[in-house]
Amino acid sequence: PEEINIGKAVINLKKLFVKINNQIKKINPAEKKVLAKMLESPGKIFSREEIGKVVNINKERTVDVMITRLRQKIEENPKNPKYFQTIRGSGYVLWIE
């Protein structure tokens, strides 16, 4: 599908944007790759290393920053994420309603 809904966010991976609450937020190609990979397997826990391999990054902190940015674009409350959750000691998971 061209558009995917996660909560109130509408994600368009082809056009590289997220629309939430009538605001359009651009996503970069690296964020697109991570998002696409996680959307393939909602509910699957991805380690920082796995996410890093998707975008050729070998620094865990860079992966953390990327997830934080995606949360800011997709989550209604990025400080208390509902969809992009951290699984302590394991990595990150994307939940879709």
Side-chain angles (χ1 to χ4, degrees):
E2 191 166 308
E3 291 190 337
I4 301 147
N5 290 20
I6 298 179
K8 291 186 177 180
V10 178
I11 300 163
N12 188 317
L13 291 175
K14 266 191 182 145
K15 295 181 181 171
L16 298 177
F17 75 81
V18 174
K19 185 177 180 185
I20 185 167
N21 299 329
N22 291 324
Q23 288 186 319
I24 292 181
K25 302 173 181 183
K26 293 194 178 294
I27 54 176
N28 66 40
E31 291 168 340
K32 174 194 173 182
K33 286 180 185 176
V34 170
L35 204 46
K37 187 70 174 171
M38 293 181 88
L39 284 166
E40 286 174 13
S41 308
K44 177 184 185 290
I45 298 170
F46 288 88
S47 69
R48 286 181 175 100
E49 189 177 272
E50 284 177 278
I51 294 169
K53 283 181 183 173
V54 171
V55 287
N56 275 337
I57 295 171
N58 59 5
K59 294 186 176 86
E60 288 185 1
R61 302 309 300 160
T62 307
V63 171
D64 294 344
V65 170
M66 184 179 298
I67 295 296
T68 300
R69 287 187 183 143
L70 282 169
R71 281 181 178 152
Q72 290 168 347
K73 294 172 185 180
I74 293 170
E75 298 280 356
E76 280 189 87
N77 180 359
K79 300 274 185 217
N80 186 16
K82 186 175 177 182
Y83 306 106
F84 267 105
Q85 293 191 339
T86 303
I87 306 300
R88 199 162 170 208
S90 299
Y92 297 99
V93 64
L94 176 64
W95 297 108
I96 299 176
E97 295 178 330

